[in-house]
Amino acid sequence: MDYTTIATLLFPDSSSTIAASGLLVLRLTMSIAFIRHGWPKIRNLSTWAKAMNTPTILCGLSAYSMWLGGIALLPGFLTGPASLAILVSMAYAVILEISKGFPFIAPDPFQIPQGDYAGPMGVGDPPSWEKALLYVVMAAILICCGGGALSLDNEILKPILLGLVS
């Protein structure tokens, strides 16, 4: 495999202004979400692992993939690999939630009679795998489309990799 093929796979072209803007918004939104999702899990790793009934090492890998992946997405640095790490973590969440019998979309909390739902952490939204699946789809889009024109991938990394060809 040559450097041009590697550059194309790692940093797909999405040059239109609308595509670049859309990818920037998607990337920044996911970045903020996963920095915020990952950090509390890192800080409370054993508690989270116990609540998830999952080995601490897997929860650690997941938490760090969320947090570090979110940090990498902010400037668009290695967007594809960062998104893949997040995708794997969220795909595992989907599998866990499906295996527990949770529905794809939970009933709207406003349609549940007062006092009829209290989850493991108290009253809140009923569980579902909808949000985790949406994150899988968002990560897949970034893997397929790259970080966009307004990313370190496109501005610095791709030119460096392509420069190795010449």
Side-chain angles (χ1 to χ4, degrees), residues 122-139:
V123 176
D125 288 343
S128 73
W129 47 279
E130 169 187 9
K131 184 168 72 171
L133 182 64
L134 286 173
Y135 283 135
V136 167
V137 170
M138 292 164 69

Side-chain angles (χ1 to χ4, degrees), residues 107-128:
D108 192 302
F110 298 106
Q111 296 175 338
I112 300 172
Q114 190 73 7
D116 273 9
Y117 175 75
M121 304 296 279
V123 176
D125 288 343
S128 73

Side-chain angles (χ1 to χ4, degrees), residues 76-137:
F77 179 73
L78 295 174
T79 301
S83 297
L84 180 61
I86 290 170
L87 184 146
V88 169
S89 183
M90 292 294 96
Y92 181 69
V94 169
I95 291 166
L96 280 179
E97 291 168 351
I98 289 172
S99 71
K100 291 179 182 179
F102 295 158
F104 171 47
I105 298 174
D108 192 302
F110 298 106
Q111 296 175 338
I112 300 172
Q114 190 73 7
D116 273 9
Y117 175 75
M121 304 296 279
V123 176
D125 288 343
S128 73
W129 47 279
E130 169 187 9
K131 184 168 72 171
L133 182 64
L134 286 173
Y135 283 135
V136 167
V137 170

Side-chain angles (χ1 to χ4, degrees), residues 8-12 23 26 30 73 79-88 136-147:
T8 302
L9 290 173
L10 277 177
F11 315 116
L23 289 171
L26 177 60
M30 279 192 62
L73 289 178
T79 301
S83 297
L84 180 61
I86 290 170
L87 184 146
V88 169
V136 167
V137 170
M138 292 164 69
I141 290 167
L142 288 176
I143 291 167
C144 293
C145 297

